Amino acid sequence: MAGLIIINRPLSILLYVLATAGAAAAATSPTPANATSDEEYWAERAAEARATNLAAYVSDPVAAANSFNKETLRATSRRSLRRSKYQGPCVATNPIDRCWRCRADWATNRKRLARCARGFGHSTAGGAAGKIYVVTDGSDDEMIIPKKGTLRYAAIQGRPLWITFARDMVVRLRQELIVSANKTIDGRGAQVHIVGAQITLQSVSHVIIHNVHIHHSVPHSGGMIRDSKTHYGFRTASDGDGISVLSSSNVWIDHVSMYRCSDGLIDVVNGSTAITVSNSHFTKHDHVMLFGASNDNPQDAAMQVTVAFNHFGKGLVQRMPRCRYGFFHVVNNDYTHWQMYAIGGNNNPTIISQGNRFIAPDDPNAKEVTKREYTPYSEYKEWVWKSQGDVMMNGAFFNESGGQNERKYDQFDFIPARHGSYVGQLTKFAGTLNCHVGKPC
């Protein structure tokens, strides 16, 4: 995550003259002109984001979770899931993949993917309303006037875009990549690695990140970086997350492979909501996912996130995810490795764990799936943390809680997910896919 100070830099000569005159007039003020401009600009952006996020909030999250489970049960038959021999891309898959992966025309009908989101991020359209933009240049040399053909150039455009890649490439970000609203980053048909700095979604909506490798993001000291076609400003230091989502809604992260970033792999904070993280593969990292950054940020009570069909693999330590406030549906994921714990949180998050497989490490002190951070039992006993249909292996156990809240969230309120015994098949293709034009992925 990073703070932002924006200095308005209009592109036309006329607006430049007007802005210069305004800055000169304001120079006599004891308050720096650009600091005041920053505050007003980002206050407006924040207000717009709050309104958008509120519209994306689901008033009945239990119904939303049940709808997800019902669709999964319909889309996956026990017979197909039990087949021991893989016979093609349509075998042993999940409802998200069944929506598009078995179609040989995915390359000529890429935007069909936007129909396939499920969970709390199900309405995410990405750049479906826009044209396809092909990235031809993996460089990232200019932060203020990005070069045409680069990912940064496409990401800051003010119109919807469906961004694809001309060939296999490594995009080496020199500073954080700030993605504007209504964008899809679609790596299908190429092996695309995004490295060097984090991808930031700040006060935006309708962003899809799909089928790319994201790794080795490191902190940067910041500087002048364009965040949209009409504005650039001075960014403070970025943390080196993989993907940082701030004050945003309708975000879908699907079929990504992520590892070895300096901070979190995925952070969702500052009142973001309507998020789905699905079909992804996470390895070789400490702090995997943080949903809610601060105890002093009660706006995160509106956060609603679905974590589904992911594989949490080798070399992971903790936070898969760690949650504050909000409602989190963690369903049909495969947890094959952790060193400290899998799912944690504080400040009364609601965590519904359904149909996951948890394989505990051999360490006798790390068998518990759950961890309440800095919270005594007298407080967390009322938090709603439920496990239903999960498979516990090698001594793993889930410490449920609920207390009087059972009257609000009883186990019978939830439709069971596909049982955790099927998770190995449901997550068989987690991570980036090797898609070839004219063939199913």
Side-chain angles (χ1 to χ4, degrees), residues 72-87 90-93 98 418-419 421-422 425-426:
T72 302
L73 292 169
R74 284 198 304 267
T76 57
S77 70
R78 286 182 173 83
R79 180 180 179 183
S80 67
L81 290 173
R82 287 190 182 281
R83 291 178 184 174
S84 59
K85 184 177 180 181
Y86 170 60
Q87 298 177 354
C90 294
V91 176
T93 189
R98 285 178 66 90
R418 179 63 69 194
H419 193 268
S421 59
Y422 297 99
Q425 297 299 317
L426 289 168

Side-chain angles (χ1 to χ4, degrees), residues 282-422:
F282 306 100
T283 56
K284 301 172 185 176
H285 198 78
D286 187 347
H287 300 90
V288 182
M289 295 179 180
L290 178 65
F291 296 161
S294 171
N295 297 345
D296 301 323
N297 206 349
Q299 64 178 317
D300 284 336
M303 188 179 294
Q304 296 174 327
V305 183
T306 300
V307 179
F309 311 132
N310 302 290
H311 181 197
F312 295 93
K314 294 181 179 180
L316 301 180
V317 180
Q318 59 182 315
R319 298 187 181 182
M320 298 172 243
R322 176 183 173 180
C323 311
R324 288 181 173 91
Y325 303 105
F327 187 105
F328 306 93
H329 190 205
V330 183
V331 55
N332 289 145
N333 301 283
D334 200 5
Y335 292 83
T336 56
H337 298 82
W338 71 80
Q339 294 180 29
M340 292 178 60
Y341 67 90
I343 299 172
N346 59 315
N347 282 79
N348 194 19
T350 295
I351 299 175
I352 309 301
S353 173
Q354 292 186 294
N356 300 290
R357 177 168 65 178
F358 297 103
I359 304 176
D362 292 333
D363 182 354
N365 298 312
K367 299 295 186 182
E368 184 175 347
V369 170
T370 52
K371 182 180 181 181
R372 275 78 169 177
E373 299 275 2
Y374 314 112
T375 309
Y377 172 77
S378 60
E379 180 179 340
Y380 80 67
K381 68 180 181 180
E382 303 297 334
W383 298 359
V384 179
W385 290 28
K386 297 298 174 189
S387 171
Q388 184 183 67
D390 291 329
V391 170
M392 305 292 175
M393 300 178 65
N394 199 34
F397 67 97
F398 189 110
N399 183 9
E400 292 188 281
S401 59
Q404 296 179 359
N405 288 326
E406 290 285 4
R407 291 178 232 167
K408 184 176 180 181
Y409 294 121
D410 188 86
Q411 62 176 340
F412 298 111
D413 292 336
F414 292 97
I415 293 174
R418 179 63 69 194
H419 193 268
S421 59
Y422 297 99

